[in-house]
Amino acid sequence: MGMNKATKYISSGIAALGVLALSAAPVLAQKIDLKPTGDFSPLGDLTVPKLVSGFVKLTLVAAAVIFFFILVIGGIRWIMSGGDKQATESARGQITAALVGLVIVFAAFAIVQLIQTLFGIRILELEIPKF
């Protein structure tokens, strides 16, 4: 009994792939340098932990700036209310919300600093000490 055509094609395809895999081994063993050069060379030092820590720092700073501007706008609204009780209460609520937001942002930063000090885990740089 002979092999049918499909089995012949499959076995010859597997043999061809084996030959290709063996011949490609020296090419795959070569080192490919993907580090950026020139003005982009600092990008070669980027890692996922550095990106995440940069994002966390940026978020803390952006939140503090946003809440500060909300506080200033609330103060301007209070000044511009002209004695209107409704507008004054609205401005006071905005100022209170901005102050609470600022307290939360600074408390989060303080908690991160406390964890770094007590446990030695550098959260803002995502470096966990090795045992």
Side-chain angles (χ1 to χ4, degrees):
M1 295 201 125
M3 297 171 60
N4 62 15
K5 283 188 175 184
T7 308
K8 286 182 184 179
Y9 289 130
I10 291 173
S11 61
S12 62
I14 291 173
L17 284 176
V19 170
L20 282 175
L22 291 175
S23 65
V27 173
L28 294 175
Q30 294 176 357
K31 184 178 178 185
I32 300 172
D33 187 22
L34 294 177
K35 290 191 83 113
T37 59
D39 291 338
F40 298 105
S41 60
L43 293 176
D45 297 332
L46 278 180
T47 60
V48 172
K50 286 183 181 180
L51 287 173
V52 171
S53 67
F55 178 73
V56 169
K57 290 176 188 176
L58 178 68
T59 303
L60 282 173
V61 170
V65 168
I66 289 169
F67 284 124
F68 176 75
F69 280 117
I70 290 173
L71 179 67
V72 170
I73 291 170
I76 292 171
R77 284 181 56 202
W78 188 325
I79 293 169
M80 301 296 286
S81 68
D84 181 18
K85 186 171 174 82
Q86 180 83 14
T88 304
E89 289 299 320
S90 174
R92 184 183 308 179
Q94 185 174 359
I95 290 172
T96 303
L99 287 174
V100 168
L102 278 172
V103 167
I104 290 172
V105 168
F106 287 121
F109 182 73
I111 290 170
V112 166
Q113 294 298 322
L114 183 68
I115 289 172
Q116 286 184 170
T117 303
L118 291 178
F119 300 112
I121 299 172
R122 301 181 58 93
I123 294 174
L124 294 179
E125 283 138 29
L126 288 180
E127 292 178 10
I128 300 175
K130 295 186 169 96
F131 296 105

